[in-house]
Amino acid sequence: MAVRDVAVVGFAQRQMKEMDGSPTCVEILVPIFAELFEQTGWTKSDIDFWCSGSSDYLAGRSFSFVSAVDAIGALPPVNESHVEMDAAWALYEAWVKIQIGEIDTALVYGFGKSSAGVLRRTLAMQLDPYTMTPLWPDTVSIAGLQARQGLEQGLWDERALAEVSSRSRTSASDNEYAIRKGATTVEDVLAEEVYADPLRRSDCAPVSDGAAAIVLSTAEAPGFDKLSGRAAWITGFEHRTDSITLGTRDLTRSPSAALAGSAAGSQDVDTAELHAPFSHQELILRRELGLGDDVTVNPSGGALSGNPMFASGLIRIGEAARRIWSGESSRALGHATSGPALQQNLVCVMEGRS
Amino acid sequence: MTSVQESRTLHAPMKVEFDYTRSLGPVLSQFMTGLRRRQVTGGVLSDGTVVVPPPEYDPTTHRAISEIVAVGDEGVVRTWSWVAEPVMDQPLDKPFAFALIQLDGADAPLLHAVDVDSPADMETGMRVRVRWAEETVGAITDIACFEPLPSSTDAGSELPNEPGSDAEAVTGIVSPVRLAYDYAASPEESKFFRGLAEGRILGQRCPSCHKVYVPPRGACPVDGVPTTDEVELPDKGTVTTYCIVNVPFLGQKITPPYVSAYVLLDGADIAFLHLILDTEADEVRMGMRVEAVWKPRDEWGTTIENISHFRPTGEPDADYETYKQHL
């Protein structure tokens, strides 16, 4: 259990279908950092630690995370780290660093230009390199294997999937960063042709470019008083992993999500931002995290409305925190996933305090 | 790089290719050797179940898997998805199905491709059979794909089947990785390369610390603000530091010894790397004044290679004070 109280005190994002620019994403990170300094009233010197999540495989630029450090203005040198995972895991690293007392504040960012390659193919690089990657199983096909199992076992039907995607797109209407949005009915979705049987295009997150960043602070940080009360306190932060082998998993379940959720305290939230890049995965996550029908799920539109790789999980945590700042939620969770078919899952539970 | 008129930035196709050479432990070595002999094998877990491909360690006891058994080359589709638009290097280059296939004698399914013409030909529960590659080498791709079995052959495959059993044992695999991108330069880099195509060297000045960067960067690495003001720089400068290349390497275009140097263009605050030629290597020194030697104009493109190299101007050396902060 956490020893030190840590809050999400800043969040900024950019999402777009195709970014016409360098894979380092410096040009979108600079305004994101500027926005965070405006939100917090802080400057670079208030940040004790910087941590990023990205992968060079997305767009083929080697050491893009090193070039991205230009956006910080890292001279004199800063305390900095990087993970080749969604930046939600970079946030976890920063949170642990705060827990062990090394730092009080952190700025965590994720970025990626998925449109530079064929994303569903590139992601085969994360599979078992001996028996899976040589077949180049694409992300959509793997998700289709999972979706069909649930369909044929009666865990969900096409209508349930269409409800998820139409609700996501409708909820995203007010999200200025969403890529796929607008009032959509279940019938609209069901009228779409099946693309990767059993999936429709609406069941799959759109290929997205973008970046996002979050600021963490303890109450003891010297700059905390400048924050004008904008704080979503982290009460649980956990991540777990299932096997990479698809054949030995029940793909309709996600034990790692259930374990992370119960350890982080997912059961009594009123709002959940779930990183479900495929519509049926939202249904799996709802079950594993114990979310009832009274929980508001993905008010931002979720990953189905925009899914910039390596930032999308962090965006879920930021969107959940935003609902706490605004008072719409008193206890919310942000979830991130990584790996094939919900293999790795992270849950961050936050609450508001008066 | 080729210029795309409608685009803000320069784009070019880029391919990244690498053959990963991977050694195999005892378990995967047996699995791959089996495939080479046209025999699929699985690992026996502590609970007696047979998993294909064999895992190296038991998921419950965490002990190394030691018992490898042959399974059939026919099995049942447990779930499938349709690949309407195959991507490069997948098992089939026309629409096909990926499926989890439980082979006869196995308890857990294997991920592979099924060759059928349409999703209407696929069904969970259907029986399929391995189609072996023409030549087997000891890799998962020795199984070219699976193909449907007529429903009358529900008897199950014989165990073990008749393999070419004396093929040499496999202890490693080579996994080629080919990735293709549309690679874009940043807006600042694009201006730089477009300038070079006109014989101009363009840098940008940080509005905060006023330093001039060439090539320009998206943000000043000191201040983290965009470098907005364009500055045209002369093609003359000073060698701040250098090295003499004596070692031959693959792809080397110039015969050693030759000099790679940091050249600080007059008016710039950051040096960039280029060649110093048209002089003996042992004549090059810190502070030496140099100028760009451009290729013939009809060979210019949006590339730094428009400048063939730098050569000495013959001017007196620059004063150490003018470049010492760049060392």
Side-chain angles (χ1 to χ4, degrees), chain B residues 233-244:
Chain B
L233 293 158
D235 62 359
K236 262 189 204 177
T238 301
V239 172
T240 59
T241 186
Y242 65 97
C243 74
I244 300 177

Side-chain angles (χ1 to χ4, degrees), chain B residues 9-145:
Chain B
T9 61
L10 289 167
H11 290 245
M14 184 178 72
K15 283 185 179 162
V16 178
E17 301 191 353
F18 190 74
D19 289 352
Y20 287 87
T21 304
R22 300 181 188 277
S23 57
L24 301 171
V27 171
L28 283 171
S29 182
Q30 288 183 75
F31 178 67
M32 296 303 181
T33 300
L35 292 178
R36 187 171 187 183
R37 296 170 180 170
R38 298 172 191 256
Q39 172 66 67
V40 188
T41 55
V44 182
L45 306 192
S46 56
D47 62 2
T49 56
V50 176
V51 173
V52 182
E56 293 183 289
Y57 294 93
D58 188 285
T60 316
T61 64
H62 308 136
R63 292 224 174 90
I65 297 291
S66 55
E67 192 183 351
I68 306 291
V69 295
V71 298
D73 60 6
E74 294 175 11
V76 177
V77 169
R78 292 299 179 205
T79 183
W80 59 276
S81 57
W82 188 246
V83 187
E85 295 170 8
V87 293
M88 187 167 64
D89 296 328
Q90 285 184 332
L92 293 154
D93 57 9
K94 57 157 193 100
F96 68 98
F98 266 118
L100 288 176
I101 298 154
Q102 188 174 342
L103 293 170
D104 297 337
D107 298 290
L110 164 78
L111 175 72
H112 220 296
V114 181
D115 182 4
V116 290
D117 292 331
S118 125
D121 300 326
M122 285 299 298
E123 198 181 352
T124 298
M126 72 192 278
R127 288 192 61 79
V128 292
R129 173 174 55 201
V130 169
R131 181 192 297 162
W132 293 100
E134 280 181 25
E135 189 195 352
T136 55
V137 296
I140 191 68
T141 45
D142 287 347
I143 300 175
C145 61

Side-chain angles (χ1 to χ4, degrees), chain A residues 157-213:
Chain A
D157 56 18
E158 280 186 80
R159 194 166 184 89
L161 301 187
E163 277 167 7
V164 170
S165 56
S166 61
R167 192 211 66 236
S168 299
R169 204 180 288 201
T170 305
S171 299
S173 300
D174 301 329
N175 181 349
E176 63 175 303
Y177 302 106
I179 291 163
R180 196 192 271 161
K181 57 180 170 182
T184 309
T185 66
V186 172
E187 279 64 34
D188 293 337
V189 174
L190 289 174
E192 248 182 61
E193 62 172 349
V194 173
Y195 162 62
D197 197 335
L199 301 175
R200 292 177 164 80
R201 286 182 193 273
S202 281
D203 291 316
C204 314
V207 174
S208 321
D209 297 342

